[in-house]
Amino acid sequence: MSVRLRVAPSPTGDPHVGTAYVSLFCLAFARQQGGQFVLRLEDTDRARFREDSEQQIYDMLHWLSLDWDEGPDKGGPFAPYRQSERLDTYRPHVDALVADGHAYYCWCTPDRLQAMREEQQKRKMPTGYDRLCYGKTREERAELPGFSDAAVVRMLIPDDAPIAFTDVIRGEVHAPTPDDQVILKADGFPTYHLAVVVDDHLMGITHVVRGEEWISSTPKHLLLFDWLGWERPAFAHMPLLRNTDKSKISKRKNPAARLTWFVEEGYLPEALVNFLGLLGYSMPSGEEIFTFDEMSASFDWSRVNTVGPVFDLDKLGWLNGHYLRELAPDDFVRRVLPFLHDAGLVAHPPTATEQAVLAAAVPEIQPRMKLLTEAPGLLRFLLVSEESFVVDPEAVEKHVVGSGALLAAAADALEPVEVWDTAHVQGAMDAALLEDGLGLKRGKAYAPIRAAVCGSSISPPLPESLALLGKERTLRRLRAAIV
RNA sequence: GCCCCCGUCGUCUAGCGGCCUAGGACGCUGCCCUCUCACGGCAGUAGCGGCGGUUCGAAUCCGCUCGGGGGUACCA
């Protein structure tokens, strides 16, 4: 039988990095086994629902090439894949559980429940529903305080509820004994616990992969599977991604919790996928740089760690630089373009001139970048109009002030250069400024020129930069800097 | 409060009773390359939380302890 896995994000805001993390592992296993990967939207929380969130989830998973076989957008044999569209599906199962005595109605108000829990905590007792409503008719219950008109349905947890299960990643796990969990809310929506069990069964899910935070509610799900007479799926609880302070990764503490952040910051999807794979997982070969296909081919649940990894951006940055350098030149240009456009350095479809400049500059800037966002800084001196060209004040202070003679000598030496390429430019400068000229060391000689022409004390190699810039602009900037 | 999960360099990890004088990667430091910055190469830095067992032998097995995390909702 082929495996079926699913990821089930809630459309409650910006897509979460954990969704991509779990998707990666699900997909790696599903592809290896020749099974399917399903995307299901758990939109049962109407209070936190966000309209645009669904499309963002699609966009981000597509960006990462973590593609699904069935989902709300593409349908499939078990449609619909939005829980809000499956309300009729859950109802009969709730009724059956009530009829079988496994669930009961509860009319307690939120206020009463909260007071009850506070009292339990004060008495150092485990918190849990006290079953005030159990065995009572609506009329009987209405006599008592804390009564609400709209009923919910609760599970009746037996004393001998199964709390142990075999986790694919952790082995034998003992989870807490549950309390009488609500499975149907007053608004008619199922809670996660009911919906996840019904949908996983109906959709033929064989492996439930989710975050470690779900371990404590697994016994509830076990009970539901058993009561409904359904075979239990396998469970794999992934470690939780952490903030630097080790707490569960959160959008408030960590920008990296938002998937869109990686796009904005200039990360490559292939680097993020590789990095996510490195968190909590290791290749049998020991390789740290690997593609999704390589990970999938050798995937093994026993190599998944149980320790929650800190999401450390340093290593991601290194990986990103690596993948950036591997890119074919035209691909590199394609990825860099949106960032240059946002910086106002190129037109929307770039002009032929701009394209030519970029193509020529790629070999110089590609090995020096770690993030796509660094491109505007490195290319500004080549793309900016002469009217807008400015030299960084710090560079002026450090290198240009007092270097008039040197800059003039450089300009004079470059003036007669006929063939404007790296070799000739360097030849002319060196002849005028080094031993046979002003007698300077190359480092001393190039710094002022770099500042005057590139506008910064940091740039690609100087002769290459001047060659790319062209004779006219080089001379103009040199002379302008002399003053 | 109650319950559960987890514990190897700063970070990600290898290790699954002798191959460990604990290996790799990122980071950091130094050197080389060098016109700046990167890239690349070389070297160095740093860890089995603690205490008891089990064993001829423990990073590896057991217990306790400490530490971290998560859950405890009509949120997922």
Side-chain angles (χ1 to χ4, degrees):
Chain A
M1 180 182 99
S2 98
V3 304
R4 287 175 59 80
L5 292 88
R6 105 277 122 133
V7 68
S10 300
T12 52
D14 288 355
H16 196 274
V17 66
T19 301
Y21 186 54
V22 170
S23 296
L24 170 62
F25 283 76
C26 283
L27 200 58
F29 182 62
R31 291 288 172 265
Q32 178 193 55
Q33 301 291 313
Q36 286 90 43
F37 176 53
V38 178
L39 174 62
R40 184 174 72 217
L41 256 16
E42 311 233 318
D43 54 350
T44 53
D45 183 353
R46 302 325 279 170
R48 293 201 301 158
F49 179 77
R50 287 269 315 283
E51 185 72 48
D52 52 349
S53 187
E54 180 174 325
Q55 186 59 45
Q56 287 186 330
I57 290 170
Y58 299 153
D59 292 346
M60 286 301 98
L61 291 180
H62 276 136
W63 181 65
L64 291 165
S65 300
L66 298 173
D67 298 310
W68 49 99
D69 303 303
E70 302 164 27
D73 58 328
K74 58 195 303 183
F78 303 99
Y81 292 90
R82 269 183 212 94
Q83 290 187 328
S84 60
E85 295 170 5
R86 300 172 61 80
L87 265 25
D88 295 343
T89 309
Y90 308 118
R91 217 35 183 271
H93 297 112
V94 174
D95 295 340
L97 289 170
V98 172
D100 292 346
H102 288 129
Y104 60 95
Y105 288 92
C106 172
W107 296 270
C108 289
T109 59
D111 283 351
R112 188 188 107 72
L113 295 173
Q114 195 190 331
M116 176 197 71
R117 283 186 208 105
E118 281 166 10
E119 176 63 19
Q120 288 166 335
Q121 272 198 30
K122 217 162 63 186
R123 292 168 48 207
K124 306 193 178 208
M125 302 300 294
T127 53
Y129 183 59
D130 62 4
R131 293 188 174 165
L132 177 66
C133 296
Y134 178 61
K136 293 188 174 63
T137 63
R138 178 196 167 83
E139 289 66 33
E140 289 165 349
R141 177 60 180 85
E143 303 292 309
L144 276 22
F147 175 84
S148 155
D149 222 24
V152 302
V153 175
R154 288 182 182 276
M155 297 171 69
L156 179 64
I157 305 291
D159 293 338
D160 61 347
I163 56 166
F165 63 98
T166 305
D167 190 273
V168 177
I169 296 171
R170 294 155 199 270
E172 279 300 303
V173 172
H174 294 261
T177 305
D179 73 337
D180 287 1
Q181 174 67 45
V182 171
I183 54 175
L184 191 70
K185 306 183 213 180
D187 66 1
F189 275 71
T191 58
Y192 169 83
H193 304 288
L194 197 248
V196 75
V197 167
V198 171
D199 287 344
D200 282 343
H201 173 259
L202 261 25
M203 293 181 181
I205 300 303
T206 57
H207 299 254
V208 172
V209 182
R210 63 201 344 180
E212 178 186 350
E213 56 199 341
W214 294 106
I215 289 179
S216 31
S217 35
T218 302
K220 298 165 192 168
H221 306 164
L222 259 24
L223 228 27
L224 255 11
F225 278 109
D226 293 352
W227 287 343
L228 265 5
W230 297 337
E231 192 184 340
R232 298 176 181 178
F235 291 93
H237 289 96
M238 298 286 297
L240 256 25
L241 264 22
R242 314 293 185 104
N243 298 310
T244 317
D245 66 0
K246 303 271 190 186
S247 59
K248 169 165 99 165
I249 198 164
S250 64
K251 293 172 186 172
R252 193 175 61 77
K253 285 187 181 176
N254 200 329
R258 287 174 44 235
L259 281 174
T260 46
W261 182 80
F262 296 97
V263 181
E264 296 158 4
E265 293 298 306
Y267 289 98
L268 259 24
E270 44 272 68
L272 216 210
V273 166
N274 190 155
F275 180 64
L276 253 15
L278 236 28
L279 294 180
Y281 188 72
S282 61
M283 294 288 278
S285 65
E287 282 302 314
E288 309 238 348
I289 291 176
F290 51 82
T291 63
F292 170 81
D293 288 340
E294 289 165 341
M295 175 175 171
S296 178
S298 65
F299 187 74
D300 182 350
W301 286 111
S302 73
R303 298 194 67 85
V304 179
N305 245 94
T306 48
V307 193
V310 170
F311 201 97
D312 179 29
L313 262 8
D314 279 336
K315 197 157 189 172
L316 208 213
W318 165 72
L319 273 172
N320 209 62
H322 169 83
Y323 281 100
L324 226 33
R325 272 169 250 129
E326 296 249 292
L327 256 25
D330 56 333
D331 193 9
F332 179 84
V333 169
R334 189 172 60 77
R335 312 243 199 169
V336 136
L337 238 25
F339 293 88
L340 294 176
H341 179 252
D342 287 349
L345 291 175
V346 298
H348 183 18
T351 65
T353 313
E354 287 165 347
Q355 286 199 0
V357 170
L358 290 176
V362 165
E364 299 308 329
I365 66 160
Q366 194 169 8
R368 303 166 204 273
M369 280 171 46
K370 216 154 74 171
L371 296 169
L372 259 13
T373 44
E374 293 162 357
L378 285 166
L379 292 167
R380 175 163 284 108
F381 81 100
L382 286 173
L383 294 166
V384 80
S385 66
E386 286 309 290
E387 307 83 72
S388 321
F389 175 77
V390 286
V391 179
D392 169 49
E394 252 183 68
V396 173
E397 176 74 24
K398 222 171 142 190
H399 301 296
V400 178
V401 173
S403 299
L406 185 157
L407 293 170
D412 290 345
L414 289 167
E415 185 84 64
V417 173
E418 296 273 337
V419 183
W420 193 263
D421 62 16
T422 302
H424 292 266
V425 166
Q426 174 156 14
M429 286 195 299
D430 287 358
L433 308 172
L434 306 192
E435 311 88 78
D436 300 329
L438 297 183
L440 296 167
K441 288 287 184 194
R442 195 175 266 145
K444 288 282 182 200
Y446 283 11
I449 303 175
R450 166 173 289 116
V453 177
C454 303
S456 161
S457 51
I458 296 171
S459 84
L462 192 60
E464 280 79 355
S465 297
L466 303 196
L468 286 168
L469 230 208
K471 183 172 178 177
E472 190 195 342
R473 283 189 292 173
T474 298
L475 291 175
R476 183 184 319 179
R477 291 181 192 183
L478 280 175
R479 299 236 131 98
I482 290 169
V483 186

